[in-house]
Amino acid sequence: MTFRSSLADTPLLKVSRPVSACSRCRSAKVKCDNKLPACTACEKAGREKECTAANDQFARGKERSYVAALELRIEKLERRLSYACSTNASIALHGPDEPPAADPNRKDSLAFIRAAIHRKAARTQENADINALVSDFGYLAVNTTTRDFEPSESNMTFARLVLAAATNEPVPEPKSTSLPAESTARALVQFYETSILPLYPAFPATMLHALVSDLYQEHPRQIRSSEYWLFWMVLAISSAAQSRSREDEHYLNGVEFVGRALPHADRALRPGYGTQVQSLLLLTQYSMLDPAHFDSWHPIGFTCRAVVDQGLHQDPPHTQQISPAALDERRRIFYCVYALDRAISMVHARGFSFYDDAVSVALPSSTLASGTLSGLSMSKPPADPSIPLFKLRQLQSAWYQTLYQGNPTESLPDATSFIWQKCFEMWEWSERLPVDMSAPIREMLDLELRYSYVYCIASTARGAQVSAYGKLLIFDHVIAYVDKMYDIANLADKAAFYTYHDALRVFFMGSQFVAVLREIGDLLLSGSSIPVPPPAPGKVSPPLRPVRLDRGTGDTLDRSLRCLERIKLTLRLFGNRWEQALSLMDSFEIISGEVWKDFTTRRAVRDATTTGQWQQMPHA
């Protein structure tokens, strides 16, 4: 399944990924105002010199290539290496290249400490050499359609560049190279087909099933590296998606399958072939499920670069002869990448890989109508969920670019009306969802909608401060979101595609919830009515409050405390799968500690008062 475009050698766009926050604010998950020479948060903390905004390469308005994120990472590694070398020099009695003379078996000896530092410095130097090579590569004019980077033992291939940038921890060597039992492989393929492929139909399920059949024949045909990559990565994604603990069999199998796929990376990811984008897309999907080994930010950046360099961000001209099926496949591949790029960029609060103004691709037809999915034996299959997902990503992209990627020094005229308009458009989208959509995927899209409402309303980058009514909407949507996500985190089986990014979303929603309680907590607890603000002339009205899904489960005080508790519990449950989620939980406990203490004290006083009043009442 390869396809070529006449635009492949003349890309219409250079990819840029503008950084919207300095590294310190991004690590702390706080808003960065991008002020130069240092942002306000870094100034208050006395870290002006460490603020990346002080570096001219981050000045707003300057385009950055897709390797700029790699350069920043290299700078950090160089600083850490410099610190390690200085530490080594102050402790070691030998030069950096000399082995320790004393017996390193004594764990309490200074020689043991020197030996450990020596080994760590060697590993750091090796990593620095790799990153330096990546940095040098970034100065070249790279076009991902070129075929100059063919695999060999001695050169830097495109796949090795991608993996060097995306890998957090090396994947262990696979324990075996043999195929799993055919029943195991077909069960994992079926899971991918029913839970993930409907949302991201980058290739036909019929092709995947045919590949499995070919692999398990007594005398299989010659299988290409890109096909092996497809097979092993689908198995890895399906296994990791079913994991509930980073120590369970599903997760370990996922890591094992990735290890078996990596030897095929050079051929599967090589530039200039239609399968390159699908292969990069699979790596991105797996990285969202295994942040311990891969960082999803870099794979999606490389995937977008490949999409643009191959011209997939533009429909081919009418003069180019292309079959309707091939055109539809091309569009599906683009929108799968588009949807993941928007989702990953938003969850990390970073810029998109390309702007919507550079995109001219019509939405594809239904995957079910075009036969992308197979094995649907029911008389009326459920509605295709990929098209609604693509449309939601388009709506999110429109307001995110305006509110978060626009110039923060320029106020957006009538920002409040703009936000209400975007909320109305997303509400209209939700009202048009097919009634026969599968329940798990519809539930996932409903969570995406509430997340989008909060993200859009909470924006203050280019607009007026959030009104009390806007904060009330955030309060309601966060509670509904957290209640549902808490239930999902407790489920043993999930039919939709939930990843580590959902833990990041829970933390974001919790942070917005804490901010609302800090700012209008007294108003909410007082029971005072917060009126709906009147719309500006000719503008849409603010959205109405959502219907409560937790009726009869307590007043505002009880609901607030229960939501705070469930945020922590949800992150703890996610922490069983992703260790990074435990760090999010610890951070949330810190930022919510003051509000939690205040509200628990209020509840204790309320309960004591209620008990005292009951005891004073005359009883028959």
Side-chain angles (χ1 to χ4, degrees):
M1 65 171 262
T2 61
F3 54 84
R4 305 303 304 271
S5 169
S6 63
L7 302 179
D9 296 323
T10 57
L12 305 180
L13 177 67
K14 289 184 178 180
V15 175
S16 65
R17 302 184 72 88
V19 175
S20 59
C22 71
S23 58
R24 186 174 177 275
C25 291
R26 213 159 41 239
S27 299
K29 306 291 184 184
V30 298
K31 187 84 69 178
C32 180
D33 59 8
N34 296 281
K35 191 178 73 171
L36 297 176
C39 71
T40 302
C42 290
E43 281 183 345
K44 290 182 178 180
R47 303 286 184 86
E48 295 91 344
K49 294 183 179 180
E50 300 177 21
C51 181
T52 52
N55 191 323
D56 185 61
Q57 70 172 324
F58 289 97
R60 186 170 294 277
K62 287 192 174 183
E63 284 194 347
R64 308 179 68 224
S65 70
Y66 76 108
V67 298
L70 304 180
E71 296 168 359
L72 175 61
R73 186 175 181 183
I74 293 167
E75 290 177 10
K76 293 180 180 178
L77 289 172
E78 288 175 345
R79 288 197 295 269
R80 292 166 64 182
L81 176 60
S82 176
Y83 174 77
C85 290
S86 64
T87 304
N88 188 25
S90 65
I91 296 179
L93 301 179
H94 306 277
D97 295 328
E98 297 181 51
D103 181 10
N105 293 326
R106 286 188 57 202
K107 296 188 177 181
D108 59 342
S109 67
L110 183 61
F112 179 82
I113 298 174
R114 290 198 301 269
I117 294 176
H118 182 82
R119 290 193 299 271
K120 184 174 182 181
R123 290 195 301 269
T124 304
Q125 183 60 48
E126 182 181 0
N127 292 336
D129 292 342
I130 293 174
N131 283 306
L133 181 59
V134 173
S135 180
D136 293 341
F137 192 88
Y139 288 108
L140 302 177
V142 181
N143 184 320
T144 60
T145 61
T146 183
R147 299 189 182 185
D148 294 337
F149 301 100
E150 292 296 326
S152 73
E153 293 297 327
S154 60
N155 70 344
M156 170 59 76
T157 66
F158 184 79
R160 294 169 199 175
L161 169 66
V162 172
L163 294 173
T167 300
N168 289 329
E169 293 291 340
V171 176
E173 290 292 327
K175 299 176 182 179
S176 171
T177 57
S178 60
L179 296 173
E182 183 175 359
S183 59
T184 300
R186 291 198 179 276
L188 291 172
V189 166
Q190 185 65 32
F191 178 89
Y192 188 91
E193 181 184 5
T194 57
S195 300
I196 303 171
L197 197 60
L199 294 168
Y200 301 102
F203 49 84
T206 52
M207 182 189 72
L208 186 56
H209 285 285
L211 174 60
V212 174
S213 298
D214 291 342
L215 283 168
Y216 285 92
Q217 286 181 355
E218 184 177 355
H219 301 290
R221 62 174 175 81
Q222 185 69 30
I223 305 298
R224 299 189 300 270
S225 287
S226 60
E227 294 176 308
Y228 274 120
W229 176 271
L230 170 66
F231 173 76
W232 290 119
M233 290 303 294
V234 165
L235 265 56
I237 293 167
S238 296
S239 296
Q242 297 179 72
S243 169
R244 294 299 166 263
S245 167
R246 54 186 177 275
E247 298 177 355
D248 66 14
E249 184 180 6
H250 288 298
Y251 175 73
L252 297 177
N253 286 341
V255 175
E256 172 72 12
F257 293 146
V258 168
R260 300 187 196 182
L262 289 179
H264 304 284
D266 280 337
R267 295 288 178 181
L269 304 184
R270 59 182 174 174
Y273 294 84
T275 54
Q276 180 199 26
V277 175
Q278 290 96 324
S279 299
L280 286 167
L281 195 68
L282 290 168
L283 177 62
T284 302
Q285 289 179 347
Y286 181 80
S287 68
M288 296 165 65
L289 293 161
D290 188 5
H293 290 104
F294 295 102
D295 177 6
S296 60
W297 172 250
H298 295 290
I300 191 60
F302 283 108
T303 309
C304 290
R305 179 61 186 257
V307 161
V308 173
D309 285 345
Q310 294 186 25
L312 302 184
H313 65 299
Q314 299 276 324
D315 272 341
H318 296 297
T319 56
Q320 181 176 343
Q321 297 296 324
I322 182 171
S323 68
L327 179 61
D328 222 40
E329 179 187 31
R330 173 190 175 109
R331 289 170 174 172
R332 281 196 300 272
I333 292 171
F334 169 77
Y335 274 106
C336 287
V337 176
Y338 177 92
L340 283 175
D341 178 66
R342 269 44 186 167
I344 293 173
S345 297
M346 286 177 61
V347 83
H348 287 294
R350 296 177 178 177
F352 296 147
S353 296
F354 46 79
Y355 290 95
D356 287 345
D357 291 343
V359 175
S360 179
V361 181
L363 286 170
S365 63
S366 169
T367 57
L368 298 180
S370 59
T372 300
L373 302 184
S374 66
L376 296 172
S377 58
M378 67 275 301
S379 58
K380 184 179 181 182
D384 172 22
S386 66
I387 304 301
L389 177 63
F390 298 158
K391 290 179 179 178
L392 177 60
R393 295 292 183 234
Q394 288 177 325
L395 294 173
Q396 291 171 331
S397 184
W399 56 256
Y400 186 86
Q401 286 182 163
T402 300
L403 296 175
Y404 291 92
Q405 292 189 251
N407 190 338
T409 62
E410 297 179 3
S411 297
L412 183 67
D414 199 4
T416 302
S417 294
F418 174 85
I419 290 172
W420 296 150
Q421 175 65 34
K422 296 306 174 183
C423 288
F424 175 74
E425 292 173 4
M426 290 189 289
W427 173 83
E428 280 190 319
W429 166 86
S430 67
E431 291 295 301
R432 296 185 182 128
L433 287 176
V435 295
D436 56 344
M437 181 176 291
S438 68
I441 291 181
R442 188 182 184 93
E443 182 178 63
M444 187 207 74
L445 293 178
D446 180 68
L447 288 169
E448 278 280 351
L449 179 64
R450 294 186 185 277
Y451 167 73
S452 300
Y453 280 148
V454 172
Y455 210 142
C456 185
I457 295 171
S459 169
T460 58
R462 299 189 61 203
Q465 294 296 317
V466 182
S467 65
Y469 183 73
K471 294 171 183 175
L472 179 62
L473 291 175
I474 292 175
F475 177 85
D476 288 335
H477 283 299
V478 169
I479 289 179
Y481 179 93
V482 170
D483 284 345
K484 183 58 66 176
M485 189 59 73
Y486 173 75
D487 292 338
I488 289 172
N490 276 289
L491 290 177
D493 298 311
K494 304 181 182 68
F497 187 45
Y498 293 96
T499 70
Y500 168 65
H501 291 175
D502 289 288
L504 294 173
R505 291 187 181 96
V506 170
F507 178 81
F508 167 80
M509 298 290 273
S511 301
Q512 297 301 324
F513 190 70
V514 170
V516 167
L517 294 182
R518 283 176 179 165
E519 295 165 6
I520 63 167
D522 292 336
L523 181 60
L524 291 171
L525 296 179
S526 68
S528 301
S529 175
I530 301 178
V532 180
K539 305 293 185 180
V540 299
S541 301
L544 298 178
R545 293 183 65 182
V547 177
R548 276 189 61 178
L549 302 178
D550 61 344
R551 292 188 178 278
T553 56
D555 58 11
T556 301
L557 181 57
D558 291 328
R559 295 175 69 206
S560 300
L561 287 170
R562 184 175 63 253
C563 183
L564 291 171
E565 181 67 18
R566 286 191 166 187
I567 292 169
K568 291 184 286 188
L569 292 174
T570 302
L571 291 174
R572 180 177 291 123
L573 288 168
F574 282 146
N576 294 330
R577 298 180 64 184
W578 307 294
E579 188 175 3
Q580 294 84 345
L582 296 178
S583 299
L584 295 177
M585 183 191 70
D586 293 338
S587 298
F588 181 76
E589 287 182 333
I590 293 173
I591 65 175
S592 64
E594 183 180 345
V595 171
W596 174 263
K597 182 178 179 180
D598 179 31
F599 275 47
T600 51
T601 301
R602 292 174 186 245
R603 183 169 63 179
V605 171
R606 182 202 64 187
D607 293 345
T609 303
T610 303
T611 302
Q613 291 174 349
W614 183 85
Q615 291 175 347
Q616 293 175 10
M617 291 177 60
H619 300 284

